[in-house]
DNA sequence: TATATTGTTACACC
DNA sequence: TGGTGTAACAATAT
């Protein structure tokens, strides 16, 4: 499940691999997953926004200038000034193969990375968009659930996108410090929602989903059930103190492959090995031995240690 | 076959 | 009315 560290992992790898490559052709197998213009792609009833021919013609022939990130959105900048926004949602994947790798593994099934890699068939059942480059390299976009999207916008449209405008600060920015965080808390500290849901709210601070919010709250010693309005200043300080370290650890481990997340070479991220609570329901707490519990908050499963988190 | 899954948004409510 | 909280939605594996 791609959250900030997983998206950052993909973005760093793609930027390195795709920069200055030129798109020779594009294949779209799932028209509903692509769009042109600043439209709400998730509204699948608006069939007319899925203009596949336009999408393909606008991209073909372009050089990729850079691949960056805002929150969990991946941002491709093309030489014709257009911007492609990609959201991986739950199960989106980018897998890249250069010509050398293709020639080496002539099989239809490719074990892309010998270390901790799932067997990947390319293109597979869930490959929805394929980018072919002029040098023979290929980029596959896979998505088991088809919740993700690829959206092409102009720079002007990009600057006006409402989903980006409502994003809170990037937690790993140097400017995101304790004072900035506590000032943000002033705006929301009377809310009746749970701290868990608050941390996952991208209009507060971006990038933290179910995995990292659980891990941060565990280390901060704050129960996910707690109402935002009940938190003391020290609780907020504790939470802040763990946001950057845990997200950074996730990036160092190349993400957490609890769901279907893979890196751009098809291999798994290693962050799952360092989880203290997420996916640990029924196991002993690594700190105190108490059995990790789980509860539903806002329809989402939250895992926590009843002893370490108050 | 019912259920679980998540980021985002539409909508109901006070 | 505007801010807040909740439910619905996308599609698939199990």
């Amino acid at each position: 499940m791609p959250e900030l560290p997983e998206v950052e992992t993909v973005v760093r790898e793609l930027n390195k691999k795709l920069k200055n490559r030129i798109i020779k052709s594009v294949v779209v197998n799932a028209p509903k997953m692509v769009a042109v213009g600043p439209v709400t792609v998730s509204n699948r009833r608006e069939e007319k926004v899925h203009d596949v021919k336009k999408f393909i013609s606008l991209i073909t022939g372009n050089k990729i200038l850079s691949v960056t990130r805002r929150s969990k959105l991946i941002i491709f900048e093309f030489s014709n000034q257009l911007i492609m926004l990609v959201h991986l949602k739950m199960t989106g994947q980018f897998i890249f193969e250069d010509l050398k790798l293709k020639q080496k593994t002539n099989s239809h099934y490719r074990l892309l990375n010998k270390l901790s890699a799932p067997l990947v068939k390319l293109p597979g059942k869930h490959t929805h968009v394929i980018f072919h480059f002029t040098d023979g390299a290929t980029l596959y976009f896979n998505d088991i659930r088809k919740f993700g999207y690829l959206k092409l916008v102009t720079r002007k449209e990009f600057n006006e996108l409402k989903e980006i405008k409502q994003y809170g600060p990037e937690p790993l920015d140097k400017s995101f410090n304790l004072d900035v965080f506590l000032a943000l808390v002033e705006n929301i500290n009377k809310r009746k929602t749970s701290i868990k849901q608050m941390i996952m709210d991208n209009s507060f601070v971006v990038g933290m989903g179910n995995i990292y919010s659980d891990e941060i709250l565990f280390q901060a010693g704050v129960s996910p059930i707690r109402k935002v309005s009940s938190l003391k200043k020290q609780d907020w300080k504790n939470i802040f103190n763990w946001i950057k370290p845990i997200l950074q650890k996730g990036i160092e481990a190349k993400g957490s492959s609890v769901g279907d997340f893979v890196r751009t070479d098809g291999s798994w991220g290693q962050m799952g090995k360092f989880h203290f609570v997420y996916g640990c329901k029924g196991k002993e707490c690594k700190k105190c031995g108490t059995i990790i519990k789980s509860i539903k908050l806002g329809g989402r499963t939250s895992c926590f240690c009843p002893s370490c988190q108050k």
Side-chain angles (χ1 to χ4, degrees):
Chain A
M1 273 146 278
E3 300 175 27
L4 189 151
E6 287 75 30
V7 177
E8 181 66 21
T9 297
V10 168
V11 162
R12 287 183 186 181
E13 293 179 2
L14 287 183
N15 189 52
K16 199 174 170 187
K17 291 172 178 177
L18 301 184
K19 190 179 274 192
N20 294 326
R21 278 202 153 88
I22 296 166
I23 298 169
K24 185 180 153 194
S25 62
V26 183
V27 177
V28 176
N29 296 324
K32 286 186 174 188
M33 302 188 69
V34 306
V36 179
V39 294
T40 306
V41 185
S42 60
N43 187 350
R44 302 299 155 99
R45 282 167 296 188
E46 290 184 34
E47 296 290 337
K48 59 183 176 185
V49 307
H50 308 294
D51 194 336
V52 174
K53 279 186 185 171
K54 201 174 176 185
F55 180 84
I56 292 173
S57 71
L58 284 171
I59 289 178
T60 305
N62 268 278
K63 183 191 277 188
I64 294 178
L65 302 181
S66 66
V67 184
T68 53
R69 176 187 68 73
R70 173 76 174 106
S71 184
K72 300 164 194 167
L73 261 183
I74 303 174
I75 302 165
F76 293 75
E77 287 200 70
F78 294 131
S79 49
N80 67 352
Q81 307 293 308
L82 288 179
I83 294 171
M84 183 172 75
L85 300 170
V86 180
H87 205 303
L88 302 176
K89 290 287 180 88
M90 280 178 73
T91 53
Q93 307 173 337
F94 271 119
I95 294 181
F96 178 82
E97 284 185 319
D98 61 20
L99 195 56
K100 204 193 277 181
L101 185 61
K102 280 185 181 175
Q103 287 167 344
K104 198 163 69 181
T105 56
N106 205 17
S107 157
H108 201 49
Y109 284 88
R110 301 185 178 104
L111 189 59
L112 293 167
N113 182 331
K114 284 178 185 169
L115 294 170
S116 65
L119 200 60
V120 181
K121 184 188 177 187
L122 295 171
K125 187 180 171 186
H126 302 299
T127 301
H128 306 303
V129 183
I130 306 170
F131 299 87
H132 294 289
F133 297 94
T134 52
D135 68 342
T138 305
L139 178 69
Y140 300 89
F141 178 75
N142 302 333
D143 190 344
I144 295 165
R145 293 284 183 279
K146 285 191 187 168
F147 291 177
Y149 62 80
L150 300 88
K151 177 158 67 176
L152 207 53
V153 296
T154 63
R155 169 145 306 274
K156 193 183 170 192
E157 287 168 342
F158 175 79
N159 291 333
E160 296 297 320
L161 278 178
K162 62 174 181 183
E163 60 259 49
I164 292 183
K165 277 190 170 179
Q166 69 181 28
Y167 280 153
E170 287 285 339
L172 294 182
D173 273 3
K174 278 178 188 165
S175 60
F176 184 75
N177 58 35
L178 181 62
D179 288 341
V180 169
F181 181 70
L182 291 177
L184 286 174
V185 167
E186 287 294 313
N187 301 327
I188 52 89
N189 63 9
K190 292 196 173 57
R191 291 209 189 169
K192 292 188 173 72
T193 191
S194 67
I195 179 61
K196 158 87 173 190
Q197 286 168 283
M198 197 68 245
I199 288 182
M200 290 205 294
D201 186 340
N202 276 340
S203 64
F204 179 48
V205 179
V206 303
M208 288 167 285
N210 215 7
I211 298 174
Y212 292 91
S213 58
D214 273 6
E215 294 299 318
I216 288 163
L217 285 174
F218 172 79
Q219 296 295 349
V222 176
S223 168
I225 307 167
R226 289 272 299 279
K227 296 269 191 284
V228 165
S229 55
S230 78
L231 296 198
K232 303 282 184 289
K233 193 171 184 182
Q234 190 57 48
D235 295 320
W236 290 112
K237 282 185 180 175
N238 290 341
I239 289 168
F240 175 82
N241 283 337
W242 285 100
I243 289 178
K244 290 188 193 226
I246 289 182
L247 292 177
Q248 268 153 0
K249 179 147 192 181
I251 294 171
E252 283 165 27
K254 311 293 181 189
S256 180
S257 290
V258 173
D260 298 276
F261 175 73
V262 289
R263 297 171 60 191
T264 57
D265 63 356
S267 70
W268 285 311
Q270 302 300 308
M271 182 61 182
K273 292 175 183 170
F274 306 110
H275 288 172
F276 281 80
V277 283
Y278 186 89
C280 300
K281 182 189 177 182
K283 293 179 185 169
E284 288 177 5
C285 173
K286 292 176 182 175
K287 278 189 183 171
C288 77
T290 305
I291 300 299
I292 301 297
K293 281 191 177 176
S294 84
I295 39 124
K296 287 263 182 182
L297 287 171
R300 265 57 168 178
T301 304
S302 286
C303 298
F304 66 104
C305 171
S307 174
C308 293
Q309 294 170 262
K310 298 293 179 190

mmCIF file of all heavy atoms in Angstrom, chain A residues 1 54 67 90 108 110 115 136 152 181 214-215 240 244 265 281:
data_model
loop_
_atom_site.group_PDB
_atom_site.id
_atom_site.type_symbol
_atom_site.label_atom_id
_atom_site.label_comp_id
_atom_site.label_asym_id
_atom_site.label_seq_id
_atom_site.Cartn_x
_atom_site.Cartn_y
_atom_site.Cartn_z
ATOM 1 N N MET A 1 0.839 -1.199 0.000
ATOM 2 C CA MET A 1 0.000 0.000 0.000
ATOM 3 C C MET A 1 0.863 1.234 0.000
ATOM 4 O O MET A 1 1.429 1.600 1.017
ATOM 5 C CB MET A 1 -0.907 -0.005 1.221
ATOM 6 C CG MET A 1 -2.179 -0.745 0.951
ATOM 7 S SD MET A 1 -2.819 -1.622 2.349
ATOM 8 C CE MET A 1 -1.873 -3.109 2.308
ATOM 9 N N LYS A 54 -6.259 11.043 -27.391
ATOM 10 C CA LYS A 54 -5.638 12.317 -27.058
ATOM 11 C C LYS A 54 -4.486 12.104 -26.076
ATOM 12 O O LYS A 54 -3.409 12.685 -26.220
ATOM 13 C CB LYS A 54 -6.701 13.247 -26.453
ATOM 14 C CG LYS A 54 -6.352 14.710 -26.537
ATOM 15 C CD LYS A 54 -7.546 15.539 -26.052
ATOM 16 C CE LYS A 54 -7.200 17.025 -26.016
ATOM 17 N NZ LYS A 54 -8.313 17.807 -25.443
ATOM 18 N N VAL A 67 10.926 13.213 -12.742
ATOM 19 C CA VAL A 67 9.850 12.540 -12.025
ATOM 20 C C VAL A 67 9.969 12.955 -10.568
ATOM 21 O O VAL A 67 11.015 12.739 -9.932
ATOM 22 C CB VAL A 67 9.950 11.000 -12.132
ATOM 23 C CG1 VAL A 67 8.751 10.334 -11.457
ATOM 24 C CG2 VAL A 67 10.028 10.560 -13.595
ATOM 25 N N MET A 90 -4.189 2.003 -3.994
ATOM 26 C CA MET A 90 -3.840 0.836 -3.170
ATOM 27 C C MET A 90 -2.792 -0.078 -3.785
ATOM 28 O O MET A 90 -1.890 -0.573 -3.119
ATOM 29 C CB MET A 90 -5.092 -0.015 -2.944
ATOM 30 C CG MET A 90 -6.003 0.477 -1.878
ATOM 31 S SD MET A 90 -7.416 -0.601 -1.787
ATOM 32 C CE MET A 90 -6.682 -2.039 -1.039
ATOM 33 N N HIS A 108 8.993 -15.306 -20.791
ATOM 34 C CA HIS A 108 7.809 -14.477 -20.647
ATOM 35 C C HIS A 108 7.639 -14.057 -19.190
ATOM 36 O O HIS A 108 7.136 -12.984 -18.887
ATOM 37 C CB HIS A 108 6.585 -15.251 -21.132
ATOM 38 C CG HIS A 108 5.439 -14.357 -21.493
ATOM 39 N ND1 HIS A 108 5.568 -13.259 -22.317
ATOM 40 C CD2 HIS A 108 4.137 -14.388 -21.144
ATOM 41 C CE1 HIS A 108 4.406 -12.663 -22.461
ATOM 42 N NE2 HIS A 108 3.508 -13.333 -21.758
ATOM 43 N N ARG A 110 9.507 -13.085 -15.732
ATOM 44 C CA ARG A 110 10.827 -12.571 -15.399
ATOM 45 C C ARG A 110 10.973 -12.413 -13.901
ATOM 46 O O ARG A 110 10.184 -11.746 -13.258
ATOM 47 C CB ARG A 110 11.046 -11.221 -16.084
ATOM 48 C CG ARG A 110 10.926 -11.332 -17.584
ATOM 49 C CD ARG A 110 11.270 -10.013 -18.241
ATOM 50 N NE ARG A 110 11.181 -10.167 -19.696
ATOM 51 C CZ ARG A 110 10.179 -9.697 -20.420
ATOM 52 N NH1 ARG A 110 9.216 -9.021 -19.870
ATOM 53 N NH2 ARG A 110 10.162 -9.891 -21.715
ATOM 54 N N LEU A 115 16.829 -11.200 -5.192
ATOM 55 C CA LEU A 115 16.591 -11.046 -3.763
ATOM 56 C C LEU A 115 15.169 -10.592 -3.500
ATOM 57 O O LEU A 115 14.748 -9.542 -3.949
ATOM 58 C CB LEU A 115 17.572 -10.022 -3.172
ATOM 59 C CG LEU A 115 19.034 -10.438 -3.180
ATOM 60 C CD1 LEU A 115 19.900 -9.249 -2.808
ATOM 61 C CD2 LEU A 115 19.276 -11.585 -2.231
ATOM 62 N N GLY A 136 14.493 1.210 -26.569
ATOM 63 C CA GLY A 136 14.121 -0.188 -26.349
ATOM 64 C C GLY A 136 13.675 -0.516 -24.932
ATOM 65 O O GLY A 136 13.227 -1.624 -24.657
ATOM 66 N N LEU A 152 -3.260 13.696 -17.487
ATOM 67 C CA LEU A 152 -2.391 14.625 -18.202
ATOM 68 C C LEU A 152 -2.934 16.047 -18.088
ATOM 69 O O LEU A 152 -4.092 16.304 -18.440
ATOM 70 C CB LEU A 152 -2.345 14.199 -19.675
ATOM 71 C CG LEU A 152 -1.125 14.530 -20.503
ATOM 72 C CD1 LEU A 152 0.147 14.040 -19.841
ATOM 73 C CD2 LEU A 152 -1.269 13.931 -21.888
ATOM 74 N N PHE A 181 4.477 22.585 13.099
ATOM 75 C CA PHE A 181 3.530 21.511 13.415
ATOM 76 C C PHE A 181 2.560 21.937 14.516
ATOM 77 O O PHE A 181 1.344 21.773 14.392
ATOM 78 C CB PHE A 181 4.301 20.254 13.830
ATOM 79 C CG PHE A 181 3.425 19.068 14.160
ATOM 80 C CD1 PHE A 181 2.716 18.412 13.158
ATOM 81 C CD2 PHE A 181 3.328 18.613 15.463
ATOM 82 C CE1 PHE A 181 1.909 17.315 13.457
ATOM 83 C CE2 PHE A 181 2.522 17.510 15.771
ATOM 84 C CZ PHE A 181 1.815 16.864 14.762
ATOM 85 N N ASP A 214 0.004 4.117 12.059
ATOM 86 C CA ASP A 214 0.053 3.139 13.149
ATOM 87 C C ASP A 214 1.440 3.099 13.788
ATOM 88 O O ASP A 214 1.573 3.073 15.018
ATOM 89 C CB ASP A 214 -0.286 1.731 12.621
ATOM 90 C CG ASP A 214 -1.787 1.449 12.623
ATOM 91 O OD1 ASP A 214 -2.562 2.379 12.931
ATOM 92 O OD2 ASP A 214 -2.181 0.311 12.313
ATOM 93 N N GLU A 215 2.471 3.086 12.953
ATOM 94 C CA GLU A 215 3.840 2.981 13.466
ATOM 95 C C GLU A 215 4.249 4.237 14.247
ATOM 96 O O GLU A 215 4.910 4.148 15.281
ATOM 97 C CB GLU A 215 4.816 2.723 12.313
ATOM 98 C CG GLU A 215 4.622 1.369 11.627
ATOM 99 C CD GLU A 215 4.823 0.187 12.576
ATOM 100 O OE1 GLU A 215 5.768 0.227 13.379
ATOM 101 O OE2 GLU A 215 4.017 -0.763 12.514
ATOM 102 N N PHE A 240 5.156 14.390 16.734
ATOM 103 C CA PHE A 240 6.046 15.089 15.794
ATOM 104 C C PHE A 240 7.436 14.450 15.764
ATOM 105 O O PHE A 240 8.020 14.248 14.695
ATOM 106 C CB PHE A 240 6.182 16.570 16.159
ATOM 107 C CG PHE A 240 7.184 17.279 15.287
ATOM 108 C CD1 PHE A 240 6.827 17.749 14.031
ATOM 109 C CD2 PHE A 240 8.502 17.435 15.709
ATOM 110 C CE1 PHE A 240 7.757 18.363 13.204
ATOM 111 C CE2 PHE A 240 9.439 18.046 14.889
ATOM 112 C CZ PHE A 240 9.063 18.518 13.628
ATOM 113 N N LYS A 244 9.184 12.237 11.168
ATOM 114 C CA LYS A 244 10.311 12.223 10.223
ATOM 115 C C LYS A 244 11.140 10.947 10.311
ATOM 116 O O LYS A 244 11.448 10.340 9.286
ATOM 117 C CB LYS A 244 11.195 13.459 10.417
ATOM 118 C CG LYS A 244 10.521 14.745 9.973
ATOM 119 C CD LYS A 244 11.471 15.922 9.999
ATOM 120 C CE LYS A 244 10.726 17.229 9.857
ATOM 121 N NZ LYS A 244 11.333 18.148 8.882
ATOM 122 N N ASP A 265 11.964 -2.382 -9.961
ATOM 123 C CA ASP A 265 12.578 -3.582 -10.528
ATOM 124 C C ASP A 265 11.785 -4.826 -10.138
ATOM 125 O O ASP A 265 12.219 -5.953 -10.350
ATOM 126 C CB ASP A 265 14.046 -3.717 -10.087
ATOM 127 C CG ASP A 265 14.175 -3.890 -8.578
ATOM 128 O OD1 ASP A 265 13.148 -3.839 -7.881
ATOM 129 O OD2 ASP A 265 15.306 -4.072 -8.109
ATOM 130 N N LYS A 281 -1.120 -7.859 14.441
ATOM 131 C CA LYS A 281 -2.247 -8.242 15.300
ATOM 132 C C LYS A 281 -2.071 -9.674 15.817
ATOM 133 O O LYS A 281 -1.757 -10.580 15.043
ATOM 134 C CB LYS A 281 -3.547 -8.147 14.511
ATOM 135 C CG LYS A 281 -4.777 -8.478 15.322
ATOM 136 C CD LYS A 281 -6.017 -8.571 14.433
ATOM 137 C CE LYS A 281 -7.228 -8.986 15.251
ATOM 138 N NZ LYS A 281 -8.424 -9.128 14.385
#
